[in-house]
Amino acid sequence: MASDRASAAETTRFDFLVIGGGSGGLAGARRAAELGANTAVIESHKLGGTCVNVGCVPKKVMWNAAVHAEYLHDHSDYGFATENAQFSWETLKAKRDAYVSHLNRIYRNNLDRAKIQTIQGYARFTDDPEPTVEVNGRKLTAPHILIATGGQPSVLSDDEVPGASLGITSDGFFELETLPKRSVIVGAGYIAVEMAGILATLGSKTSLVIRQTGVLRNFDAFISANCTKELQNNGVDLWKNSQVTSVSKTDKGLEVTIVTKDPEKKNDEKTSTIEEVECLLWAIGRQPNSSGLNIGSMGVDTDERGNIIVDEFQNTSRPGIYAVGDVCGKALLTPVAIAAGRKLAHRLFEGKKDSKLDYSTIPTVVFSHPPIGTVGLTEEEAIKSHEKENVKIYKTSFTPMYHAITSRKSQCIMKLVCAGKEEKVVGLHMQGLGCDEMLQGFAVAIKMGATKADFDNTVAIHPTSSEEFVTMR
């Protein structure tokens, strides 16, 4: 009995314990603290998680630099002489890294101001009867424990692809000290598209290896086809129906062996080699950071990929343990994790029992060249849920006015997916100059249930690309 009391006394208690100091964990922790909860955040690396350190933030800095490179091609058409422009990857990296460090400090200051305890280290659930974690030999518990450990890039082993470990992932991209002269990106998702676009636009000779015929296959087919075409227009060497089968190191760099299949002839394969590769980047998906937590002993269920299974209120299968963000494997986007973390805090500490995130109609942007904006259902999804005869499509393709006087051309494409007699707008998809900043307002309208008639009744802003959405016929 005495030893039980001693072990209980050694366990530090909080109202809310958050494992993971990324976007979702920090948002939930800060909101809980605002609502009066005694809160602690456990983080093994840097505050800010994937987004701030090796994701959206540094990626957007690199994309901004690539946009400058694109505009350089247009300067002479607009009357500017800029023949001697030089690009320094080293300068950009130093400024980018300093900005990220600045954000790390801001996150730490915000936690300190909110009187949230920050604990550095890895958390692992113990076998204690009540949910308890151990960090650096110290036991911590709370009636409410949030798992927000995020995800990491998936990697192939050398057994799966000989020499695969000679490549890097998106994490390693941000460690590159110089611009690679020759790059090979493997993958067809948005990270592969963004990395290939940034490297190619900044001057690296870039190949993109994809297993099928197009990129972004989970997006609307209109977007997938156009983005595939734009990558090629921007000088990316696209290897369709292809897979990397081996990688070897030579004194001139990496040698990447690729097998390409003819989709019409099942047994027709061609083997090729790309030589002198300085950067091989695997962008083949992401996996949850759930394996080291010992959550199985807590009765927390995961799917076959290790994603933590949660209900609509972010509850796991173990009462008192919750999960938000990429570790759940659904809608892997920073603002989703933030919103879910905050909604959970309001439910737990403000008594708002119905507080939960609505995972439908989530807008997202791909920072390709040009950028993509999309929200709601694809045409295919709309037909599945509403039947083909109840779905009406409006689309357009045009050259933005910016490119009217430039020798470099890039199209803007737009599509509205409408359903039912009232033609409710259930999907909106676009790629073109400015589409990244155009989407948020349209997403609000669609979330509110806007119809095609509502779009038509809105006066256009001229001359802009966005006016096309309110003048479609």
Side-chain angles (χ1 to χ4, degrees):
M1 198 74 180
S3 65
D4 283 352
R5 278 200 300 271
S7 63
E10 288 161 17
T11 302
T12 308
R13 293 184 172 276
F14 295 93
D15 299 326
F16 194 40
L17 190 54
V18 178
I19 306 170
S23 302
L26 291 174
R30 289 184 64 197
R31 190 56 56 91
E34 280 176 31
L35 296 169
N38 177 22
T39 303
V41 171
I42 303 163
E43 172 54 51
S44 61
H45 189 51
K46 294 176 181 175
L47 290 173
T50 296
C51 177
V52 168
N53 296 291
V54 287
C56 348
V57 170
K59 180 271 303 286
K60 184 73 183 285
V61 172
M62 301 306 287
W63 182 80
N64 286 339
V67 169
H68 275 283
E70 288 184 295
Y71 284 165
L72 281 173
H73 296 295
D74 308 330
H75 282 171
S76 59
D77 291 317
Y78 274 96
F80 291 91
T82 54
E83 287 81 11
N84 298 319
Q86 300 289 315
F87 170 64
S88 168
W89 180 282
E90 294 78 5
T91 299
L92 176 63
K93 182 180 186 299
K95 283 181 166 286
R96 184 198 73 207
D97 292 352
Y99 174 50
V100 169
S101 296
H102 172 63
L103 292 178
N104 294 145
R105 288 190 295 273
I106 287 174
Y107 276 110
R108 182 58 199 249
N109 291 340
N110 285 342
L111 291 178
D112 291 345
R113 264 201 301 273
K115 296 189 168 45
I116 295 168
Q117 193 174 140
T118 309
I119 299 157
Q120 192 75 29
Y122 287 91
R124 184 175 170 81
F125 282 95
T126 66
D127 296 327
D128 291 79
E130 68 173 329
T132 302
V133 299
E134 192 169 351
V135 185
N136 304 325
R138 178 184 171 196
K139 282 188 174 184
L140 313 161
T141 190
H144 304 292
I145 299 177
L146 172 62
I147 301 171
T149 47
Q152 61 184 314
S154 299
V155 291
L156 292 173
S157 69
D158 288 339
D159 291 335
E160 293 169 293
V161 173
S165 60
L166 294 166
I168 61 171
T169 64
S170 55
D171 287 3
F173 172 81
F174 297 108
E175 294 172 16
L176 292 173
E177 297 291 342
T178 56
L179 173 68
K181 290 189 181 71
R182 186 73 176 91
S183 302
V184 174
I185 316 294
V186 184
Y190 80 93
I191 295 173
V193 165
E194 291 178 340
M195 297 283 125
I198 289 166
L199 285 165
T201 309
L202 290 176
S204 178
K205 187 179 179 190
T206 303
S207 298
L208 180 61
V209 181
I210 63 175
R211 284 185 299 182
Q212 295 184 31
T213 55
V215 297
L216 303 180
R217 293 187 305 273
N218 294 334
F219 285 65
D220 191 277
F222 192 47
I223 295 295
S224 173
N226 193 71
C227 185
T228 304
K229 184 183 80 179
E230 285 287 0
L231 280 165
Q232 292 173 293
N233 289 349
N234 288 330
V236 173
D237 171 39
L238 199 56
W239 291 64
K240 298 179 181 180
N241 304 304
S242 299
Q243 284 183 277
V244 174
T245 53
S246 68
V247 186
S248 59
K249 195 169 190 175
T250 71
D251 55 357
K252 290 185 176 178
L254 300 179
E255 200 169 272
V256 181
T257 303
I258 298 168
V259 166
T260 303
K261 294 183 178 178
D262 186 330
E264 290 172 15
K265 300 173 190 166
K266 277 197 174 173
N267 298 319
D268 194 354
E269 289 185 352
K270 180 182 163 202
T271 301
S272 313
T273 305
I274 302 177
E275 298 176 340
E276 298 182 30
V277 174
E278 291 186 10
C279 172
L280 167 65
L281 195 154
W282 300 100
I284 53 173
R286 291 182 67 80
Q287 61 190 47
N289 289 328
S290 60
S291 58
L293 293 168
N294 192 33
I295 52 177
S297 71
M298 286 288 97
V300 173
D301 293 339
T302 60
D303 66 16
E304 67 282 355
R305 299 198 62 210
N307 297 306
I308 296 176
I309 298 168
V310 293
D311 66 11
E312 60 187 328
F313 290 97
Q314 312 299 147
N315 297 311
T316 69
S317 51
R318 174 71 185 254
I321 300 180
Y322 318 89
V324 300
D326 289 8
V327 77
C328 304
K330 184 181 178 185
L332 311 184
L333 297 164
T334 295
V336 171
I338 290 170
R342 287 175 179 160
K343 293 278 188 186
L344 177 66
H346 283 288
R347 182 166 73 84
L348 298 179
F349 301 108
E350 202 182 20
K352 291 188 172 177
K353 65 181 193 322
D354 296 324
S355 179
K356 63 177 181 179
L357 178 62
D358 175 6
Y359 279 84
S360 67
T361 322
I362 293 170
T364 185
V365 162
V366 179
F367 288 98
S368 48
H369 297 269
I372 291 164
T374 177
V375 61
L377 302 179
T378 65
E379 181 178 346
E380 193 177 30
E381 289 167 343
I383 289 168
K384 264 187 196 164
S385 56
H386 294 277
E387 303 295 331
K388 187 161 188 173
E389 61 272 18
N390 298 319
V391 174
K392 184 153 186 194
I393 304 299
Y394 297 86
K395 58 186 178 181
T396 186
S397 175
F398 58 94
T399 301
M401 187 176 165
Y402 171 85
H403 287 299
I405 63 169
T406 63
S407 52
R408 180 179 73 95
K409 301 293 183 191
S410 180
Q411 288 280 289
C412 183
I413 66 161
M414 292 176 165
K415 180 176 189 174
L416 284 179
V417 181
C418 302
K421 272 190 285 217
E422 73 284 10
E423 291 196 356
K424 182 181 178 183
V425 181
V426 294
L428 180 149
H429 312 278
M430 55 181 162
Q431 180 173 19
L433 197 64
C435 286
D436 51 330
E437 293 291 351
M438 213 184 288
L439 181 64
Q440 191 78 70
F442 284 116
V444 172
I446 291 167
K447 193 79 176 166
M448 292 174 72
T451 62
K452 178 68 169 62
D454 293 322
F455 274 54
D456 295 342
N457 288 332
T458 304
V459 175
I461 305 166
H462 185 73
T464 64
S465 292
S466 57
E467 68 180 306
E468 292 288 328
F469 272 127
V470 299
T471 55
M472 279 185 185
R473 298 182 67 182

